[in-house]
Amino acid sequence: MTSAAIAAYVISVELKRMSVETQKETLGFQTEVKQLLHLMIHSLYSNKEIFLRELISNASDAADKLRFEALAKPELLEGGDPLKIRVSFDKEAKTVTLEDNGIGMSRDDVIAHLGTIAKSGTADFMKNLSGDQKKDSTLIGQFGVGFYSAFIVADQVEVFTRRAGLPASEGVHWASKGEGEFEVATVEKADRGTRIVLHLKSGEDEFADGWRLRNIIKKYSDHIALPIELPKEQHGEEAAAEPEWETVNRASALWTRPRTEVKDEEYQEFYKHVSHDFENPLSWSHNKVEGKLEYSSLLYVPARAPFDLYQREAPRGLKLYVQRVFIMDQADEFLPLYLRFIKGVVDSNDLSLNVSREILQKDPIIDSMKSALTKRVLDMLEKLAKNEPEQYQGFWKNFGQVIKEGPAEDFANKEKIAGLLRFASTSDTSGEQTVALADYLGRMKEGQDKIYFLTGESYAQVKNSPHLEVFRKKGIEVLLLTDRIDEWLMSYLTEFDGKSFVDVARGDLDLGKLDSEEDKKAQEEVAKSKEGLLERLKAALGEHVSEVRVSHRLTDSPAILAIGEQDLGLQMRQILEASGQKVPDSKPIFEINPAHPLIEKLDAEQSEDRFGDLSHILFDQAALAAGDSLKDPAAYVQRLNKLLVELSA
């Protein structure tokens, strides 16, 4: 190839490269506005009535913006009419009108904010605020989509607005049918602020009703700082030409006020409002958190348990507000399941909500708030237990079994939860669950380093259990656990204040320092002397037992059944069987009291048949004493009757 050909080739390659580069361009995504609006209107919100919440929130923001701007320019207030929101309706015309005297909008504002989907005027406004101003503001809007929720119920929306400070001649009329186009015109508007007229769709007439609108406002916007007014209901001759307005919201969010300004009666009234309970709460905790996280909470402990407390799928959770605006009724992300009975509200602007503000998004902030609120509740319960023990006892009767779910669910607060638990014990013959673990530790014997407990079906069964005999003899207190959840609870609650828990019916009982060296030596000698009897019993009982040994537990009874260290207890077996789960096979340990006359007679028995019958009778009696059912009751009765006949001969 000649040098001229080479040069021509190089030039052609370079030209091709340049042409490719010159064709490269950056393009914006194209939007089918009509389709986008349709998606927003019909897919974003699950509840139609949300439209009023969103429009009222926008009106509230408009009032707040006016307050801020009026600090520098007082003339914007134009005479100083009190800031308010008015909602009215016309049944015949099928319209709902919402009007505010806030900041309003200029023509450019209208085009920029109503003509641009997902452009939030509030978000833009917030960007220009200083740190302190941001902190003091109560602005609600985040996404710039709330206004379009009006099209859920309306087939046409009209907006009449004028920005504060502009002349009356610069009012703006905006209108749209929500199909991708809008009209803007300049109109005369004497008053500042915004009026939105919704022309209701066919079938949405229910919203052109005073009671319906009142209920929606009470539900979602009750605590908005501005008064929300509706025309007063008037009938017949009373009807006046000029409507009389009345405020329908409380306009006071109790949780946002300083604690020192709120009376107990107000707290109690608010509790009844949020919980629909007719009784006063036992206790409450009101806190405002500032710093990395900013939120307010008002939490209540009810006086009585709801009927669906043990239905784990039942609605539960706190009322969630953002800047006083109601978001959801059962926000269950803020408290663990074992505190599902707690009522109250949380108000935070730091949360990640989805665009419709109906769903909480998974966020580390929620975990931080959950941790803090859980600790707050546990502190409140601790305070109640310390200062009002009688009231706490009432609380425990209602909610004790739910609190017992805590150690399994909330490892971080296990010790704190354990301090709240109450048990029946051998120190109190009433059978009431009044003993705290701290009380038990305070009464421990010298040398005792374990917390002893016994589980069973009922108090009557466990209080007379043979397992307690050695403890009665030595004056050692034992906790008596009879709730169905107790055995499961104790599998997670392994220690308290450095002292481990010991099930007195499980394994080989070792009382440690509570037994003297002489006692231990004597036990060993007795066990050695009864080796022959133990072998005979093991042969007689066969597959019914895993082991036969001399008991350290018994002083009065002839025999007892102990549970293996790794085996399931009776309660857990019954729970699993009731739920249809297969329970692993396990055999009890048969323990005898060598000093008992029946055991002595058994040891001296020469007839192997009679020895076998007596062994089985003692085994079945030990099972009955432990609260278990007999696998073969008929065989037990036959053996017992045979023995009685022999004794009566």
Side-chain angles (χ1 to χ4, degrees), residues 16 51 56 138-139 219 227 340 364 431 457 520:
K16 279 182 183 175
F51 82 92
I56 288 174
T138 55
L139 295 165
K219 181 177 179 180
R340 57 187 176 271
E457 280 291 291
K520 289 177 183 177

Short mmCIF file of all heavy atoms in Angstrom, two decimals, residues 16 51 56 138-139 219 227 340 364 431 457 520:
data_model
loop_
_atom_site.label_atom_id
_atom_site.label_comp_id
_atom_site.label_asym_id
_atom_site.label_seq_id
_atom_site.Cartn_x
_atom_site.Cartn_y
_atom_site.Cartn_z
N LYS A 16 -14.82 8.65 10.39
CA LYS A 16 -15.87 7.76 10.94
C LYS A 16 -15.98 7.93 12.45
O LYS A 16 -17.08 8.01 13.01
CB LYS A 16 -15.55 6.30 10.61
CG LYS A 16 -15.95 5.89 9.20
CD LYS A 16 -15.66 4.42 8.97
CE LYS A 16 -15.98 4.03 7.54
NZ LYS A 16 -15.58 2.62 7.27
N PHE A 51 -57.91 12.19 50.04
CA PHE A 51 -57.78 13.45 49.29
C PHE A 51 -57.95 14.67 50.20
O PHE A 51 -57.25 15.67 50.04
CB PHE A 51 -58.80 13.50 48.14
CG PHE A 51 -60.20 13.93 48.56
CD1 PHE A 51 -60.59 15.27 48.51
CD2 PHE A 51 -61.11 13.00 49.00
CE1 PHE A 51 -61.87 15.66 48.91
CE2 PHE A 51 -62.39 13.37 49.41
CZ PHE A 51 -62.76 14.70 49.36
N ILE A 56 -55.91 19.49 52.97
CA ILE A 56 -55.83 20.24 54.24
C ILE A 56 -54.36 20.42 54.65
O ILE A 56 -53.97 21.48 55.13
CB ILE A 56 -56.65 19.54 55.34
CG1 ILE A 56 -58.15 19.72 55.07
CG2 ILE A 56 -56.29 20.09 56.72
CD1 ILE A 56 -59.06 18.94 56.02
N THR A 138 -43.64 23.56 61.01
CA THR A 138 -44.51 22.37 61.08
C THR A 138 -45.00 22.02 59.68
O THR A 138 -46.13 21.62 59.48
CB THR A 138 -45.71 22.62 62.02
OG1 THR A 138 -46.41 23.80 61.59
CG2 THR A 138 -45.26 22.79 63.45
N LEU A 139 -44.14 22.22 58.69
CA LEU A 139 -44.51 21.96 57.31
C LEU A 139 -44.63 20.47 57.05
O LEU A 139 -43.84 19.67 57.55
CB LEU A 139 -43.48 22.59 56.37
CG LEU A 139 -43.43 24.13 56.43
CD1 LEU A 139 -42.18 24.66 55.78
CD2 LEU A 139 -44.66 24.74 55.81
N LYS A 219 -60.81 12.40 61.73
CA LYS A 219 -59.94 11.24 61.66
C LYS A 219 -58.51 11.61 61.30
O LYS A 219 -57.56 11.18 61.96
CB LYS A 219 -60.49 10.24 60.64
CG LYS A 219 -59.66 8.96 60.51
CD LYS A 219 -60.32 8.00 59.53
CE LYS A 219 -59.47 6.73 59.38
NZ LYS A 219 -60.11 5.79 58.41
N PRO A 227 -57.41 26.18 62.84
CA PRO A 227 -58.81 25.78 62.92
C PRO A 227 -59.34 25.42 61.53
O PRO A 227 -59.09 26.12 60.56
CB PRO A 227 -59.51 27.02 63.48
CG PRO A 227 -58.58 28.16 63.22
CD PRO A 227 -57.20 27.60 63.19
N ARG A 340 -47.80 -5.24 72.74
CA ARG A 340 -48.88 -4.89 71.81
C ARG A 340 -50.08 -4.23 72.48
O ARG A 340 -50.94 -3.69 71.81
CB ARG A 340 -49.34 -6.14 71.04
CG ARG A 340 -49.82 -7.29 71.90
CD ARG A 340 -50.09 -8.51 71.01
NE ARG A 340 -50.46 -9.71 71.75
CZ ARG A 340 -49.62 -10.59 72.21
NH1 ARG A 340 -48.31 -10.41 72.05
NH2 ARG A 340 -50.03 -11.67 72.87
N PRO A 364 -33.35 2.28 59.21
CA PRO A 364 -32.69 2.21 60.53
C PRO A 364 -33.30 3.16 61.56
O PRO A 364 -33.23 2.90 62.76
CB PRO A 364 -31.23 2.61 60.21
CG PRO A 364 -31.07 2.36 58.75
CD PRO A 364 -32.39 2.57 58.13
N GLY A 431 -51.23 -18.29 96.50
CA GLY A 431 -51.16 -18.71 95.11
C GLY A 431 -51.13 -17.56 94.13
O GLY A 431 -51.09 -17.77 92.91
N GLU A 457 -49.33 -27.70 86.00
CA GLU A 457 -50.61 -27.36 85.40
C GLU A 457 -51.41 -26.37 86.25
O GLU A 457 -52.12 -25.54 85.75
CB GLU A 457 -51.45 -28.64 85.20
CG GLU A 457 -51.04 -29.43 83.97
CD GLU A 457 -51.39 -28.70 82.68
OE1 GLU A 457 -52.57 -28.56 82.37
OE2 GLU A 457 -50.45 -28.25 82.00
N LYS A 520 -23.81 -34.97 101.78
CA LYS A 520 -23.43 -35.50 100.47
C LYS A 520 -22.81 -36.89 100.60
O LYS A 520 -23.10 -37.79 99.80
CB LYS A 520 -22.45 -34.55 99.77
CG LYS A 520 -23.09 -33.26 99.29
CD LYS A 520 -22.07 -32.31 98.68
CE LYS A 520 -22.73 -30.99 98.26
NZ LYS A 520 -21.74 -30.03 97.72
#
